[in-house]
Amino acid sequence: MNLAARARDWIAQDPDPETRAELEALLGDEAALAERFGAKLEFGTAGLRGELGAGPNRMNRVTVMRAAAGLARVLGPGRHVVIGFDARHNSDVFARDTAAVLTGAGLKASIMPATFPTPLLAFAVRHLDADAGVMVTASHNPPRDNGYKVYWGDGAQIVPPIDAEISAAIDQVGRVDELPLGTEWTTLDRSVLDAYLDAVTAIPIGPEREVRVAYTPMHGVGGSTLLEAFERAGFPAPEVVAAQAEPDPDFSTVSFPNPEEPGAMDLVLELAEAAGADLVIANDPDADRCAVAVPGGRQLTGDEVGALLAEHVLRGTKGDDRLVVTTIVSSSLLGKIASAYGVHYAESLTGFKWIMKANGGRMVFGYEEALGYSVGGDAGLPVHDKDGIGAALAVAGLAAAAKRDGRTLLDLLDDQARRYGLHATAPLSIRVSDISLIAEAMERLRAHPPRELGGREVVRAEDLSAGAGGLPPTDGVRYRLAGDARVVIRPSGTEPKLKAYLEVVVPVTGEVAEARAQAERDLDALRTDLATVLAL
């Protein structure tokens, strides 16, 4: 079929009057139709994620119903799927459409009673002994995006080959107006929330509670859950940024609702200053990430928070079978901490879906540099995904203990630098308008690796697409540099970005401040050279 015929076929089966009208208005506009029908959102290990709108290259009710039908085919009749949703545009509609398709195919579906954080959905899959879970969210993406994240029965996000099986099943789905739709699904009550709160408040938070926290849910769905978690754990109620306290799908006070983006935390930092807070915490919109800052506006990196939480967890747990895990793009410091505590350590590919597949012991802690942490205790991890609520509790307990001693999180970071050497990390992220530029850059990096970066010899270049260190193949390269430094480069899995992860290790022989200044100079030199090499 030509583009116009495909658009008319889409209109005929689309249950949404808004996207039908959108396509009706575009009939005759070949360029606009080509943009929507010339490609499709691909279902992968991140599920689906993209801009809202009509056509197979957009997030809409047809795309979601096809995804649900594909998932139903892979699971088979009689299986149980839990469905959660955030407060983005159409998230609740997509959740109900998923339930209708699943129950129409003979599966059992349970929907969360309201908008809840992503980690609560991940928890619910295992708590309810379900076979799979679906979370309708685009996490920290722009306001016009939405997404569809699939979890398996272990409560972790899907990995290959399950993603390919679901994708192939989606391709076999016909018209969605011919799918049988059910109406008999279960709406869960708050008992799932209570069980989650019981689990995350049982992690090793520490005994101290006197800490004043400034907090923002960044217009997302984490606010009420975090406040209840803090109350149950015995912490004083955080001061909350009023303008960002309630869910807002338009994210009206931030240009990009990601705590890592410049300016995103400005309002909570202002509140912290005005309230005399000891600690600043921000969740991203679906509350699976946790950003941390201290008075004065110093925001900690994900690697810094990960290192602090790792020691906090290891001090609060027991057993030489304990396992801590991070990713190949995160700091190497966690390996040194694990060695010091005599516990097992593993590295995974990027993303919590891979962290949760690590073997070698009883996992008590996992983290990735992109502000994702899963904090566990002697019973293991309550959530098999990153959890911004549980991480916030643990950080608050850590900050409270430091305050008791007249110290801050920055003092604890200095302690670690003296013990293990200063491990300084930094990102370099380049957004492109033409996605083909990323593939071209990766090919250049493989074919012609640089001989030197930041004044350091590249002593080893590794093509991660061939697999490295026993890990599955992935699209990336890793350069080992002279003098204990490293660069990893990979395409983003969810955005049109090329991402680089830099690390230098500086021994602390005098003042920590001197080592930090040296590390910043080293990272700046790496960034400058790498930007030239990438040529984007």
Side-chain angles (χ1 to χ4, degrees), residues 391-448:
L393 289 172
V395 169
L398 189 58
K403 181 181 179 181
R404 174 201 60 199
D405 299 333
R407 312 183 80 215
T408 70
L409 297 183
L410 298 184
D411 295 315
L412 302 186
L413 289 173
D414 285 351
D415 290 346
Q416 287 189 326
R418 296 184 188 98
R419 284 197 297 272
Y420 307 111
L422 178 63
H423 290 64
T425 60
L428 176 64
S429 183
I430 301 176
R431 185 181 292 269
V432 299
S433 55
D434 182 355
I435 196 73
S436 67
L437 295 174
I438 291 179
E440 293 172 6
M442 292 303 300
E443 184 57 34
R444 288 197 306 272
L445 293 168
R446 290 188 173 96
H448 307 288

Side-chain angles (χ1 to χ4, degrees), residues 329-389:
V329 302
S330 302
S331 173
S332 60
L333 175 54
L334 184 61
K336 295 180 181 178
I337 292 172
S339 179
Y341 282 82
V343 302
H344 300 284
Y345 167 73
E347 288 184 357
S348 76
L349 295 183
T350 307
F352 255 85
K353 58 184 176 286
W354 293 112
I355 287 175
M356 294 311 308
K357 296 298 183 283
N359 296 312
R362 171 173 50 94
M363 196 183 304
V364 294
F365 179 69
Y367 97 92
E368 60 180 355
E369 52 73 41
L371 310 184
Y373 321 93
S374 187
V375 179
D378 285 324
L381 299 174
V383 178
H384 286 189
D385 196 14
K386 53 185 176 290
D387 179 6
I389 307 296

Side-chain angles (χ1 to χ4, degrees), residues 2 23 88 133 138 150 175 335 340 490:
N2 62 30
L23 278 186
R88 284 178 176 266
V150 177
R175 294 170 60 97
R490 59 178 281 270

Side-chain angles (χ1 to χ4, degrees), residues 17 220 250 459 481 490:
D250 295 315
V459 295
L481 311 182
R490 59 178 281 270

Side-chain angles (χ1 to χ4, degrees), residues 7-26:
R8 291 190 183 96
D9 181 68
W10 189 280
I11 292 168
Q13 63 178 301
D14 189 350
D16 190 331
E18 289 190 15
T19 43
R20 288 201 306 268
E22 177 187 332
L23 278 186
E24 291 278 6
L26 293 176

Side-chain angles (χ1 to χ4, degrees), residues 10 35-36 38-44 47-53 55-60 63-64 66-67 146-148 167 170-171:
W10 189 280
E35 204 281 323
R36 287 163 174 76
K40 68 182 180 73
L41 295 181
E42 295 292 342
F43 188 95
L48 294 166
R49 194 176 293 187
E51 184 179 349
L52 291 163
N57 201 28
R58 295 284 191 273
M59 282 295 297
N60 50 65
T63 298
V64 165
R66 288 174 55 82
N146 212 328
Y148 198 82
S167 181
I170 292 171
D171 289 341

